[in-house]
Amino acid sequence: MTTATTRRPAGPPLAVPDYEVVVIGAGFGGIGTGIKLKEAGIHDFVILEQADDIGGTWRDNTYPGVAVDVSSFTYSFSFEMNPDWSRAYAPGIELKAYADHCVDKYGLRPHIRLNTKMVSGEFDAVNHLWRGTTADGEVITSRYVVGAPGVLTQPKLPDIPGVADFAGDTLHTARWDHSVDLDGKRVAVIGTGATSVQLVPSIADRVKSLAVYQRTPIWVAPKPDLGIPAPMRRLFRDVPGAQKSMRAATSTLTEAFMTLGIVHNRQLPLLVKGIEALCTAHLRRQVRDPELRAKLTPHYGFGCKRPTFSNEYFRTFTRPHVELVTDGIERITETGIVTRDGRHREIDVLVLATGFKVFEKGNTPAHPIHGLDGRELGDWWDENRYQAYQGTTVPGFPNLFFISGPYGFTGGSYFQLIENQARHFLRCLKEARRTGATWVEVKPEAHQRYFDYVQRRQPSTVFYSNNCAASNSYYFDRHGDSPILRPSSAVEAWWDSRTFALSDYEFKRPDAGVRRVRSVRSVEGVGA
């Protein structure tokens, strides 16, 4: 049984949507939103997932060596800490298991529809609801939409001539095919970002030869990745506050680096310089050859790209069957790769560690979204720069909220972002319910105030004061902005999610007033 808001008899009733809330994406963003909806007593929602399983990034990324690069204690929900991580930086398979655990413990399975891909969304301004169309042509309506498709979801293929012509096996790290045997093969890896840093040491022992094609070197810090012994895991399970204390410690360290080093880089440049010195010493210890070491040394500041940690990556290049190739790629042939110096290296397997589409048209948003007056969100962002109030909402798109919108992420842990944005949305939804509103839209002046605040803060970040133009980082969009990171502390983002002024939003009721009516719509497994 669900409650719907309609007009008084003086006017026609508003259409009753299929759901009060549609959540798009069943990664951790969608999972966290679903948990918080149920916690708030809101059960009329569905989570739509285009794939055949939940887990998002940790479902899709199963390449050898995949693991978190933020401490496991921090990289988890604050309300559902896992005492059974095997390592300080858990392998990807444990993150997927954690996602399944959260879904099952909080009873989300009945709310999840798999193999349901949204291909368009349109706001109905007459009925104050969203109409979403799936790839199968089904139309699903809801009062509110929460976009939680994740950030690192759409693999980015390299723009290299002949990449489709290679006759051997081609793998993208985000779509790893475990049926392809690397043992004894000649393997090429294109890309040296955070994924490659994990992958390369993990496959080096198996292959006959390994050529790693580097466009831009990457800063790599030592990784304090220790196994967590059984007695400590028992301590986390049995002693109240033990794991909370560990989480507080790791979160504080992460926050100190991200806030002081990244956000306030201009004011405190020595912190990042100290990290660069640590990375340089790490490289020097592992690579004695000065020529190879020079090739592996970045010419931009630490933090311009995703922070990366490894105890094995640099050392791997000192092995006789592993080659670091820094000559640009001219083309890919049926049998190998030709570099600009004219050399052709024959290979059996081509691995694309070329990352993801992030803030670019066609990926953010993941499908066309039409708001008021026919405005399409992807076009609007592309023309006017990526921006969203508190990383969550955009004027002209009522009842639409994002988990990972522009300038929402503080950089410490994605789970902090999820909890903050879900809290923001729920404050708005509860206020709408309290006032009988069916239309919630951020006011243009509030949206502009937040964007102005971001722009004032940006020049102090590492992105604008550390030669980041040379980094080829996905942090930057075509406008030269860095919309992935909110230039503030996690504490500030947490506080704002609790205290932002509800007057920054316009709450509209149906024109002729409201009355409460009951809908007897029954959907199997949903809304009970």
Side-chain angles (χ1 to χ4, degrees), residues 94-212:
E94 293 185 22
L95 269 296
K96 176 59 170 72
Y98 177 67
D100 286 318
H101 162 79
C102 291
V103 165
D104 292 333
K105 177 175 178 177
Y106 290 92
L108 293 183
R109 297 276 178 194
H111 292 270
I112 297 174
R113 285 184 54 179
L114 301 174
N115 300 304
T116 306
K117 181 179 181 179
M118 297 300 294
V119 296
S120 67
E122 183 176 3
F123 186 68
D124 180 342
V126 173
N127 289 290
H128 297 194
L129 55 78
W130 281 94
R131 300 182 187 276
T133 303
T134 72
D136 294 332
E138 179 185 5
V139 176
I140 301 173
T141 60
S142 63
R143 185 72 65 214
Y144 304 98
V145 171
V146 177
V151 177
L152 307 179
T153 57
Q154 298 298 323
K156 190 167 189 174
L157 300 179
D159 185 18
I160 300 174
V163 68
D165 298 334
F166 180 61
D169 292 307
T170 300
L171 306 174
H172 192 285
T173 51
R175 300 291 185 269
W176 196 266
D177 183 351
H178 291 273
S179 69
V180 176
D181 186 6
L182 301 183
D183 292 347
K185 300 290 181 64
R186 299 168 297 177
V187 178
V189 175
I190 297 178
T192 53
T195 296
S196 186
V197 168
Q198 294 182 340
L199 172 73
V200 166
S202 299
I203 65 174
D205 285 337
R206 300 171 51 189
V207 303
K208 178 181 180 180
S209 65
L210 180 59
V212 181

Side-chain angles (χ1 to χ4, degrees), residues 180-483:
V180 176
D181 186 6
L182 301 183
D183 292 347
K185 300 290 181 64
R186 299 168 297 177
V187 178
V189 175
I190 297 178
T192 53
T195 296
S196 186
V197 168
Q198 294 182 340
L199 172 73
V200 166
S202 299
I203 65 174
D205 285 337
R206 300 171 51 189
V207 303
K208 178 181 180 180
S209 65
L210 180 59
V212 181
Y213 289 78
Q214 173 185 278
R215 180 176 61 173
T216 309
I218 187 168
W219 288 104
V220 181
K223 190 173 185 177
D225 186 20
L226 301 175
I228 302 175
M232 182 172 288
R233 281 180 260 169
R234 283 197 299 271
L235 180 72
F236 291 150
R237 280 194 298 271
D238 300 338
V239 178
Q243 191 166 12
K244 285 186 178 180
S245 298
M246 178 63 77
R247 178 186 175 89
T250 59
S251 297
T252 298
L253 289 172
T254 303
E255 173 69 1
F257 164 71
M258 293 305 302
T259 302
L260 298 180
I262 302 299
V263 175
H264 299 297
N265 176 258
R266 178 167 291 179
Q267 291 83 0
L268 297 167
L270 292 181
L271 179 57
V272 167
K273 292 302 180 185
I275 296 172
E276 290 175 3
L278 175 67
C279 295
T280 300
H282 182 50
L283 172 58
R284 187 177 297 112
R285 283 193 301 270
Q286 294 204 347
V287 178
R288 299 295 183 182
D289 180 357
E291 183 177 346
L292 176 60
R293 197 164 61 233
K295 290 180 178 180
L296 289 166
T297 301
H299 299 289
Y300 58 88
F302 185 89
C304 295
K305 300 181 77 164
R306 181 176 170 183
T308 310
F309 308 87
S310 174
N311 299 326
E312 303 295 334
Y313 178 71
F314 289 142
R315 186 181 292 118
T316 302
F317 292 104
T318 66
R319 304 177 67 169
H321 71 298
V322 179
E323 179 184 11
L324 177 68
V325 183
T326 56
D327 295 303
I329 297 175
E330 182 177 295
R331 69 183 186 279
I332 297 174
T333 70
E334 290 186 357
T335 59
I337 299 177
V338 178
T339 46
R340 290 172 187 162
D341 61 356
R343 182 174 175 183
H344 180 255
R345 294 172 176 83
E346 293 195 348
I347 58 174
D348 304 306
V349 180
L350 174 62
V351 177
L352 305 177
T354 47
F356 301 88
K357 298 177 181 178
V358 186
F359 282 97
E360 56 186 271
K361 190 176 179 180
N363 184 67
T364 305
H367 59 263
I369 298 176
H370 290 88
L372 302 180
D373 302 320
R375 178 188 296 175
E376 201 284 306
L377 184 57
D379 289 338
W380 190 84
W381 270 337
D382 192 56
E383 295 166 4
N384 297 279
R385 302 164 70 183
Y386 282 98
Q387 50 191 289
Y389 174 72
Q390 302 284 346
T392 306
T393 49
V394 180
F397 295 86
N399 298 358
L400 176 64
F401 297 80
F402 290 98
I403 295 298
S404 52
Y407 301 109
F409 181 41
T410 57
S413 170
Y414 186 52
F415 286 83
Q416 295 170 342
L417 168 72
I418 296 167
E419 294 183 38
N420 289 340
Q421 304 301 72
R423 186 182 302 111
H424 185 122
F425 162 62
L426 282 168
R427 285 190 66 207
C428 291
L429 189 153
K430 290 175 182 178
E431 178 67 7
R433 283 185 157 198
R434 187 187 70 80
T435 60
T438 51
W439 175 308
V440 181
E441 182 184 3
V442 66
K443 295 177 180 177
E445 55 269 28
H447 174 271
Q448 187 62 48
R449 184 174 69 245
Y450 181 74
F451 190 54
D452 290 343
Y453 152 82
V454 165
Q455 296 308 310
R456 288 194 304 272
R457 285 278 190 102
Q458 285 285 59
S460 294
T461 68
V462 70
F463 304 123
Y464 295 87
S465 56
N466 213 10
N467 194 32
C468 284
S471 67
N472 290 310
S473 173
Y474 69 68
Y475 286 173
F476 294 90
D477 65 14
R478 77 174 189 87
H479 301 285
D481 294 330
S482 179

